[in-house]
Amino acid sequence: MDRTTDDVLDAVGARLRALRRDRGITLADLAATTGVSESTLSRLESGHRRATLELLLPLARTYDVPLDELVGAPRTGDPRIHLKPIRRFGMVFVPLSRRPGGVQAFKMIITARPEPLDPTPQTHDGHEWLYVLNGHLRLVLGGRDLTLPPGEAAEFDTSLPHWLGSADGGAVELLILFGPQGVRAHVRAGTEPRPDTD
């Protein structure tokens, strides 16, 4: 085995431990989900057991990440990123970020409908930041009912009842950053005056 392969395999344990902790999963829960014993998972994370395909495949399925990302394999061949859209609730979510845990980025597409849907606000833990690319977004947030045209952004705690839909029945495209509870998007504006470019 060459040095690069050894380096990749040696780093798998620490990556698996960080991934599990970021997701807030115990070894017992992971063992129950994957069918891999707790002791094997513990030895794998501590580097006392070498990663094998039989161990990594159920972990990749459980964490919903590609196998090469799970092991941190160096990129080779085709440099294109093949995004896999997720379809839920009549909307399409395209994941733009690939690292587990922390803030996740998505492109969201609300498909056109002959008649707009009635809002069904939901709540969950987390914080969301969104930016409208195309169309007119209807954002119901708590007791407010807002329409956001292209170029407008919103940020809110998702423990507030909220709903996203089309304001006029047309398609809407937006970018979304979603983070766990307490993780917010931060925008920093420079305080220095911009140099005169004339």
Side-chain angles (χ1 to χ4, degrees):
M1 212 174 289
D2 65 29
R3 188 68 247 159
T4 303
T5 303
D6 279 342
D7 291 344
V8 167
L9 290 175
D10 288 344
V12 169
R15 181 174 281 103
L16 291 174
R17 181 184 296 114
L19 183 58
R20 180 176 58 79
R21 288 180 176 169
D22 282 348
R23 300 283 177 97
I25 301 172
T26 66
L27 278 172
D29 291 339
L30 190 58
T33 305
T34 61
V36 178
S37 74
E38 238 180 289
S39 63
T40 298
L41 292 169
S42 177
R43 287 186 296 136
L44 188 60
E45 287 187 2
S46 65
H48 293 106
R49 168 110 189 218
R50 185 60 74 128
T52 64
L53 196 54
E54 290 79 15
L55 294 173
L56 293 176
L57 284 174
L59 290 168
R61 274 193 297 273
T62 298
Y63 291 133
D64 194 26
V65 296
L67 193 58
D68 59 344
E69 184 178 325
L70 192 64
V71 298
R75 287 184 173 263
T76 58
D78 190 347
R80 293 174 294 178
I81 297 172
H82 301 282
L83 303 172
K84 294 182 183 172
I86 301 162
R87 297 177 194 286
R88 286 193 187 135
F89 317 115
M91 300 178 223
V92 178
F93 297 85
V94 181
L96 301 176
S97 55
R98 295 174 47 122
R99 73 177 182 86
V103 175
Q104 301 293 311
F106 296 90
K107 179 177 181 182
M108 179 177 162
I109 302 163
I110 300 170
T111 54
R113 295 179 165 272
E115 292 186 24
L117 293 172
D118 290 328
T120 52
Q122 304 290 321
T123 63
H124 52 88
D125 288 338
H127 205 87
E128 195 165 303
W129 179 91
L130 59 84
Y131 178 84
V132 181
L133 296 168
N134 291 302
H136 288 81
L137 176 72
R138 182 178 180 193
L139 170 62
V140 176
L141 182 62
R144 301 180 74 186
D145 194 334
L146 307 165
T147 298
L148 281 68
E152 284 202 353
E155 183 178 5
F156 54 91
D157 184 327
T158 55
S159 64
L160 284 172
H162 62 283
W163 178 85
L164 305 175
S166 172
D168 54 13
V172 184
E173 294 180 54
L174 54 150
L175 293 177
I176 292 180
L177 294 179
F178 174 77
Q181 190 62 33
V183 177
R184 300 181 60 178
H186 297 281
V187 178
R188 181 171 295 173
T191 55
E192 299 287 323
R194 290 174 43 154
D196 196 7
T197 55
D198 293 341

